Amino acid sequence: MHVAAVCPRDCYDTCFMLADVEEGRVAGVRGDSRNPVTRGFLCPRGVMDHVRMLRGRILHPYLRVGGKPGGRLRRVGWDEALRITAEKLAEVLKRHGSGAVLHLEYSGDMGLLTQYLPLRLWSALGASRTDYAVCSASGHAALRLHYGLSYGVMPEELPNVRLIVFWGFNAAISAPHLWSLSLDARMRGALIAVVDPRRSETAGLADIWVAPKPGSDAALAYGVARILITRGYVDEGFLEKWSYGYEKYKERALEWTPRRVEEATGVRPGLLESLAEAYGENKPSTTMIGFGAQKTVSGAETVRAVALLPALLGLHRGFYYSNSSAWIIDLGYLTGEKLSARKPRVVSQVALAEHVARGEFKFIYIYGTNPAATLPAQDLLRRGLARRDVFVVVHETHWNETTAYADIVLPAPTFLEKDDLVVSYSHGYIRLSHRVVEPLGESRSELWVSRRLAELIGVGEEWVYEDPWRAVEKSLENALMNGSFSDLLAGKTLRLKARQKNKYQTPTGRIEFYSTRASSLGLDPLPSIPPLPEAQGFILLNSSHPNYTHTQFREVYGPIPPVVHVNPDDAARLGVRSGDRVVLYNEQGEVVVQALITDKVPPGVLWAPKLLTGLNGKPLNTLAPPITQKIGGGSTYNSITVRVKKA
Ligand SMILES: Nc1nc2c(c(=O)[nH]1)N[C@H]1C(S)=C(S)[C@@H](COP(=O)(O)OP(=O)(O)OC[C@H]3O[C@@H](n4cnc5c(=O)[nH]c(N)nc54)[C@H](O)[C@@H]3O)O[C@H]1N2
Ligand SMILES: Nc1nc2c(c(=O)[nH]1)N[C@H]1C(S)=C(S)[C@@H](COP(=O)(O)OP(=O)(O)OC[C@H]3O[C@@H](n4cnc5c(=O)[nH]c(N)nc54)[C@H](O)[C@@H]3O)O[C@H]1N2
Ligand code: SF4
Ligand SMILES: [Mo]
């Protein structure tokens, strides 16, 4: 027998899956061809979900009786665990107010019932939350300045374009299905170009690979624009009709001669020309802007500059970044944020360590995220979580770095153990993800726990207890294109309505080359070129490994390889050989890894799998400072600077 499920991980693809059930156990998970974007295959993580489901699981509630981190845990019943949690919560609310309560969740499982609906409890209380800016917020903010909303090309369009440019996007690893659709385009004669400072897996497979210095992309984009303008590739009629402020943009773009671009980016004029010519000669094109290129101190400027290129060529939203804003889903209703009279205090997710370390929160409730590995400034954050005056509750499927800092650990079911609905941020195909097997051990869903807690502390708002599917139905009232909510519940695959690509929600209703909103916010109305930070040692790029989703799947594949890529010239200068242990260090701390000498990285640049744990037991994010971007407050993981010495 097989059961239909949907992969709920934070991933571009959101695959349709089939789980094979034998004698009440999940025997395997495979791709389901009924989704035309994710088709019939899964990545190395998806195919091992039935294995991960059984390893390293939290099966019972626990109370910590030893100290944090990692002190002894005592197994307790749900009643006791919830009673203690509710008592602590009520006490903190009474003594310190709702601002001292922080709920911290992220996208471990993006299901509407798992990630969003349980937030109604915290919305009713007016508890503090983060700005959720760690992943993609700065790019969204950047796109809003010029395009209104940030949605763009739909994945189904990929096979029919003539050029696909992956800009800071390692799609072969981070979005295998979008990559596979791109290979279909190539089979039909399309070109694939990649812009990435290192020879990523995707760059290695591209027709054109352009490697700017990390963070210098905006200058490169202006360089491309200048060539498009001076060689007559620009669609003047389109710009006349659909854009605003092009003349001012043009003035700035014309300053970016190939020589100047080379100074700023290190890209030789010949390669710059190849990229620009590819854009000019191959229409239509799609520019796939990665979250990776956006995680730098100037990431928003990168996204602004890159996203305007397709408009020059006469394309309506000829980019893809994330389509989450294309759908008409009422998330504020689901989370209760718009139902509540209480407005939460919002703190930076990227700089959360500083707030936690200062003891601003006395009660922290965590689910679907592993902050004690994934957020910046780990030493500081962990010190904060270990504070005696901070009560930490972690609702998790698996034991991890964060459960070591929990005062109470609560067991959660994985997606294979609960019904849910997952919305993709690339494609619009939606269907129910079914409970494949009963929850393991004593695990209980996020929604169940949040409602029990609400009852225990006496939350009176009725909407906190609304029937879950009724709430989801209401949030999807205007969302479905070709069927009803009952069709969804009956197991049908439906599509989400997508906003029109030629609608621009800017103040002028046009594509704003010159952003009026930026201007009123006191920002440069045109994409600007921030000075690159002084090179203090090496820039440490870090990104996905095919076998892991952030810190997940170590249960299946073992530790994330604690390695760093070093260019041969740098290695020679440092006297380091492949296999040597090296210390990466900066003012934040030290992480020990093994060197791998390779010309995949240029001199002055290192690369490591994101979220590795060093050989000295320190997470990579020990080295990440809690620095936020000016636009959108996003993360800067690809601007980490380190020095290197032999261990
Ligand atoms: N296997 C796997 N897939 C994943 C994930 C995972 O953990 N594992 N996580 C998912 C999530 S949440 C995210 S956010 C995405 C991220 O996936 P992507 O958007 O692909 O981003 P990254 O993999 O972080 O980085 C992509 C590339 O950007 C390059 N890069 C770094 N700095 C710069 C720069 O300044 N300019 C340019 N042009 N390029 C730069 C890096 O070298 C890297 O090759 O992946 C998703 N997919
Ligand atoms: N150095 C560095 N750090 C980074 C990044 C980077 O590029 N470099 N990228 C950042 C980005 S883009 C992102 S998106 C974040 C991701 O940061 P996190 O969201 O913290 O990443 P995960 O490690 O995937 O943690 C998800 C957790 O949710 C749990 N989980 C899974 N399913 C369920 C469920 O159904 N219920 C519950 N309760 N828990 C569940 C998993 O076991 C796991 O512990 O990391 C950021 N950190
Ligand atoms: S992690 Fe991404 S590619 Fe892998 S199965 Fe899930 S949705 Fe598909
Ligand atoms: Mo992310």
Side-chain angles (χ1 to χ4, degrees):
M1 186 183 85
H2 61 250
V3 181
V6 177
C7 180
R9 291 185 206 295
D10 190 349
C11 172
Y12 287 103
D13 295 1
T14 312
C15 291
F16 280 18
M17 299 173 142
L18 291 174
D20 294 306
V21 186
E22 282 168 18
E23 293 166 12
R25 297 180 69 236
V26 190
V29 184
R30 57 199 159 93
D32 183 343
S33 55
R34 282 174 290 184
N35 181 320
V37 169
T38 70
R39 304 191 269 189
F41 71 97
L42 302 177
C43 73
R45 295 155 284 148
V47 292
M48 293 301 266
D49 259 316
H50 62 298
V51 177
R52 179 170 191 261
M53 173 189 171
L54 299 175
R55 295 194 186 157
R57 282 294 294 276
I58 303 167
L59 295 173
H60 308 281
Y62 291 88
L63 169 70
R64 192 170 307 280
V65 289
K68 293 185 283 186
R72 212 159 59 77
L73 291 164
R74 179 162 70 79
R75 193 173 141 185
V76 293
W78 268 107
D79 283 349
E80 188 179 353
L82 290 175
R83 183 181 50 74
I84 296 169
T85 301
E87 277 171 15
K88 269 287 169 192
L89 176 55
E91 181 193 316
V92 170
L93 285 169
K94 190 158 161 234
R95 289 186 41 194
H96 304 277
S98 57
V101 173
L102 173 74
H103 61 93
L104 180 56
E105 74 290 338
Y106 210 55
S107 45
D109 179 320
M110 303 191 306
L112 297 183
L113 296 188
T114 299
Q115 189 184 358
Y116 297 97
L117 198 55
L119 293 175
R120 285 195 173 183
L121 162 65
W122 308 108
S123 297
L125 296 175
S128 299
R129 65 163 172 87
T130 74
D131 58 1
Y132 308 115
V134 81
C135 177
S136 59
S138 283
H140 284 289
L143 290 166
R144 274 197 296 274
L145 294 177
H146 301 282
Y147 283 93
L149 295 173
S150 51
Y151 62 95
V153 167
M154 291 291 148
E156 302 90 306
E157 298 176 52
L158 285 173
N160 298 314
V161 300
R162 306 289 306 156
L163 166 72
I164 306 178
V165 181
F166 288 95
W167 204 303
F169 192 157
N170 191 12
I173 301 301
S174 63
H177 298 80
L178 302 188
W179 175 242
S180 158
L181 290 167
S182 308
L183 293 179
D184 286 3
R186 177 187 260 172
M187 297 271 274
R188 298 177 187 181
L191 278 182
I192 294 183
V194 170
V195 181
D196 197 313
R198 68 177 185 114
R199 201 167 73 239
S200 67
E201 288 81 351
T202 311
L205 295 164
D207 301 298
I208 301 172
W209 168 41
V210 179
K213 289 180 199 157
S216 70
D217 301 72
L220 180 67
Y222 271 126
V224 171
R226 184 181 186 276
I227 296 177
L228 295 177
I229 294 167
T230 54
R231 299 201 183 161
Y233 285 120
V234 167
D235 186 335
E236 305 276 354
F238 177 90
L239 294 179
E240 178 73 27
K241 180 151 188 249
W242 296 99
S243 79
Y244 172 83
Y246 169 64
E247 287 305 321
K248 292 199 184 86
Y249 166 88
K250 181 176 169 184
E251 238 172 75
R252 187 172 294 179
L254 289 178
E255 294 166 9
W256 287 92
T257 59
R259 182 182 299 269
R260 200 171 154 212
V261 172
E262 185 174 18
E263 273 165 26
T265 67
V267 173
R268 283 181 288 106
L271 257 181
L272 169 66
E273 188 160 324
S274 308
L275 180 62
E277 285 288 332
Y279 266 118
E281 294 294 331
N282 297 281
K283 291 184 195 172
S285 59
T286 291
T287 302
M288 307 289 286
I289 308 173
F291 295 149
Q294 168 251 190
K295 293 178 210 165
T296 74
V297 286
S298 52
E301 300 299 345
T302 292
V303 175
R304 296 176 73 183
V306 174
L308 288 174
L309 295 177
L312 294 175
L313 298 162
L315 297 167
H316 286 292
R317 297 182 185 271
F319 59 85
Y320 168 81
Y321 180 69
S322 157
N323 285 332
S324 54
S325 64
W327 326 130
I328 304 147
I329 299 178
D330 196 345
L331 285 180
Y333 180 78
L334 266 191
T335 64
E337 193 145 325
K338 78 174 212 198
L339 303 172
S340 179
R342 301 196 173 93
K343 290 291 153 252
R345 174 180 176 216
V346 178
V347 291
S348 163
Q349 188 182 21
V350 174
L352 189 69
E354 293 176 340
H355 300 280
V356 173
R358 280 197 294 263
E360 290 174 20
F361 309 108
K362 305 297 177 204
F363 182 98
I364 305 182
Y365 189 91
I366 302 174
Y367 69 94
T369 181
N370 185 10
T374 56
L375 293 186
Q378 279 300 317
D379 277 353
L380 198 60
L381 180 66
R382 289 174 171 202
R383 273 207 299 282
L385 292 172
R387 283 174 70 118
R388 290 246 198 113
D389 61 347
V390 180
F391 194 79
V392 179
V393 180
V394 179
H395 191 194
E396 245 295 343
T397 51
H398 289 73
W399 297 104
N400 62 21
E401 286 84 349
T402 304
T403 56
Y405 288 84
D407 294 283
I408 293 265
V409 181
L410 304 173
T414 68
F415 75 99
L416 295 169
E417 300 151 61
K418 56 195 172 196
D419 290 327
D420 212 333
L421 207 53
V422 190
V423 176
S424 165
Y425 49 82
S426 68
H427 63 74
Y429 296 91
I430 180 168
R431 78 158 181 212
L432 203 65
S433 185
H434 294 272
R435 172 190 287 201
V436 180
V437 290
E438 291 301 308
L440 293 195
E442 291 185 90
S443 61
R444 294 284 203 152
S445 77
E446 292 69 15
L447 197 61
W448 181 85
V449 175
S450 74
R451 285 174 182 202
R452 281 295 295 139
L453 281 176
E455 284 163 8
L456 285 170
I457 60 169
V459 172
E461 282 82 347
E462 271 178 24
W463 45 265
V464 172
Y465 309 97
E466 186 180 8
D467 174 74
W469 288 118
R470 180 80 191 112
V472 172
E473 179 174 14
K474 278 198 216 157
S475 74
L476 296 179
E477 217 160 47
N478 300 312
L480 303 174
M481 184 160 88
N482 56 347
S484 66
F485 188 70
S486 6
D487 292 335
L488 262 189
L489 286 185
K492 267 202 192 156
T493 296
L494 296 183
R495 292 189 65 182
L496 296 168
K497 275 185 237 162
R499 289 179 210 275
Q500 268 173 271
K501 273 175 62 194
N502 62 359
K503 283 275 178 289
Y504 301 103
Q505 304 79 2
T506 52
T508 59
R510 290 164 167 241
I511 303 166
E512 294 191 359
F513 279 89
Y514 183 94
S515 167
T516 50
R517 195 175 285 158
S519 154
S520 62
L521 291 169
L523 299 166
D524 190 341
L526 298 169
S528 61
I529 317 274
L532 287 185
E534 289 277 309
Q536 306 245 335
F538 292 87
I539 293 194
L540 174 62
L541 303 182
N542 56 107
S543 63
S544 300
H545 183 290
N547 292 353
Y548 309 91
T549 298
H550 307 295
T551 63
Q552 302 180 69
F553 290 92
R554 293 176 297 182
E555 304 83 1
V556 175
Y557 293 109
I560 298 169
V563 296
V564 66
H565 289 186
V566 185
N567 178 272
D569 294 347
D570 290 328
R573 199 165 41 76
L574 293 162
V576 168
R577 283 180 304 191
S578 271
D580 283 354
R581 286 181 171 213
V582 293
V583 187
L584 309 180
Y585 66 101
N586 60 20
E587 54 295 337
Q588 305 278 312
E590 296 190 351
V591 176
V592 180
V593 286
Q594 207 168 32
L596 210 150
I597 314 306
T598 167
D599 65 1
K600 285 182 187 164
V601 288
V605 175
L606 307 171
W607 177 85
K610 68 183 181 189
L611 303 167
L612 62 80
T613 302
L615 297 163
N616 58 343
K618 291 279 189 179
L620 189 72
N621 277 332
T622 307
L623 300 168
I627 294 176
T628 57
Q629 291 188 47
K630 186 168 153 203
I631 298 177
S635 61
T636 55
Y637 294 112
N638 283 320
S639 297
I640 297 175
T641 56
V642 294
R643 293 181 189 281
V644 182
K645 62 186 180 200
K646 280 174 85 165

